[in-house]
Amino acid sequence: MSHDGRDGRGDPIVDARDVVVETFPHARWALLSGSVITTHRTAGSDLDIVVLLPDGDPEAPHRASRHFRGWPVELFVHDEETLAHYLTKELPDRRPALNRMVATGVHLVGDRTHSGEIQTLCTNVLAGGPAPLTDTERNRIRYQLTDLLDDLTHATDPAERTVVAAAAWAAAGERVLALNGRWTGTGKWLLRELIAYDPELAERWLAAHADPTAIARFLTGVLDRSGGPLFAGYKEPGERPSLRP
């Protein structure tokens, strides 16, 4: 078995290729993505593999987890129609996880020309950024942050203040990206996107963690740069359920 010498496991590209050949020998193509192929690799990194099956294959779409040669493996299995659906579906939430996986993936098996075309499409989507916020979306974010800031400022129970502060801190990181036309993410990807947008802002956001006063100050700064707090006069239409006979 080939080894890359960093954590005693096999070469991730070789092992990812072998798991695809073993599990989906009929795949049109497959890509290995994630931190395992970057400088962010850790001893806990897994093999994130996007697999494209022939059109209409009954195995598509699904997500599956397994172990292979000491690796945790995450398989994201699609055919062309379902891949296009999920790549598009995630964009309104501004969290392009699958687009990132495809764009940055290393080719493992199959039709390199077709996988390259899809990778180029995803790369262009990421480079183009999310759709601009509508006025309704921007006002909703301002209202949500104002509500969190109000709860944080007036919380008297220490336990509740801790919980509100944690929610406000995460929301501030996510919403500042949305307000500035950037993709966002969860977990480590939220931090990576903040650093890519503004390293100094990311540093201030990190420094505010677990400090309710600093979080409130950070939230206030986000609001001040985005039109200010919004409460009085805020109105958002609701949905009326469709009536069926």
Side-chain angles (χ1 to χ4, degrees):
M1 181 186 298
S2 172
H3 292 268
D4 67 4
R6 281 191 282 178
D7 53 23
R9 294 182 289 188
D11 184 303
I13 296 175
V14 172
D15 288 345
R17 182 179 298 120
D18 287 350
V19 76
V20 171
V21 170
E22 175 186 295
T23 312
F24 301 106
H26 59 306
R28 290 181 63 184
W29 50 258
L31 303 170
L32 173 64
S33 190
S35 59
V36 75
I37 56 173
T38 73
T39 57
H40 295 288
R41 175 175 170 177
T42 70
S45 292
D46 55 12
L47 303 181
D48 292 325
I49 306 173
V50 179
V51 180
L52 188 75
L53 299 180
D55 292 344
D57 192 294
E59 284 285 311
H62 76 266
R63 175 175 176 172
S65 304
R66 60 172 294 187
H67 285 95
F68 184 81
R69 297 178 185 166
W71 293 100
V73 179
E74 295 276 7
L75 294 158
F76 302 83
V77 183
H78 292 279
D79 64 13
E80 191 161 7
E81 181 181 22
T82 68
L83 180 62
H85 170 72
Y86 278 91
L87 287 172
T88 302
K89 180 181 178 181
E90 67 184 10
L91 300 183
D93 289 334
R94 314 175 84 82
R95 297 176 180 174
L98 184 57
N99 278 270
R100 287 193 193 106
M101 289 177 64
V102 173
T104 60
V106 173
H107 185 87
L108 296 173
V109 299
D111 186 344
R112 189 181 295 271
T113 299
H114 187 259
S115 68
E117 292 171 352
I118 303 300
Q119 286 189 284
T120 298
L121 288 173
C122 292
T123 298
N124 290 340
V125 165
L126 295 177
L133 290 174
T134 64
D135 288 343
T136 298
E137 290 170 329
R138 181 171 292 273
N139 286 339
R140 183 186 302 126
I141 290 173
R142 289 172 58 205
Y143 172 79
Q144 291 169 342
L145 294 182
T146 301
D147 187 53
L148 283 168
L149 179 60
D150 184 67
D151 283 348
L152 183 58
T153 301
H154 297 100
T156 56
D157 181 275
E160 289 186 0
R161 193 165 192 242
T162 297
V163 173
V164 172
W169 181 74
E174 293 174 5
R175 303 305 195 276
V176 74
L177 289 167
L179 289 166
N180 288 280
R182 305 286 295 203
W183 296 114
T184 186
T186 58
K188 60 191 178 186
W189 272 106
L190 175 55
L191 176 59
R192 291 175 186 177
E193 290 290 351
L194 281 167
I195 292 172
Y197 165 60
D198 185 334
E200 189 275 334
L201 180 141
E203 185 176 342
R204 286 192 287 109
W205 178 74
L206 278 175
H209 180 255
D211 181 344
T213 301
I215 293 169
R217 187 163 54 246
F218 186 92
L219 259 178
T220 299
V222 173
L223 283 167
D224 287 347
R225 291 189 297 272
S226 306
L230 177 60
F231 178 77
Y234 177 72
K235 181 179 181 180
E236 182 174 345
E239 294 181 1
R240 181 179 294 278
S242 60
L243 300 179
R244 296 182 178 180

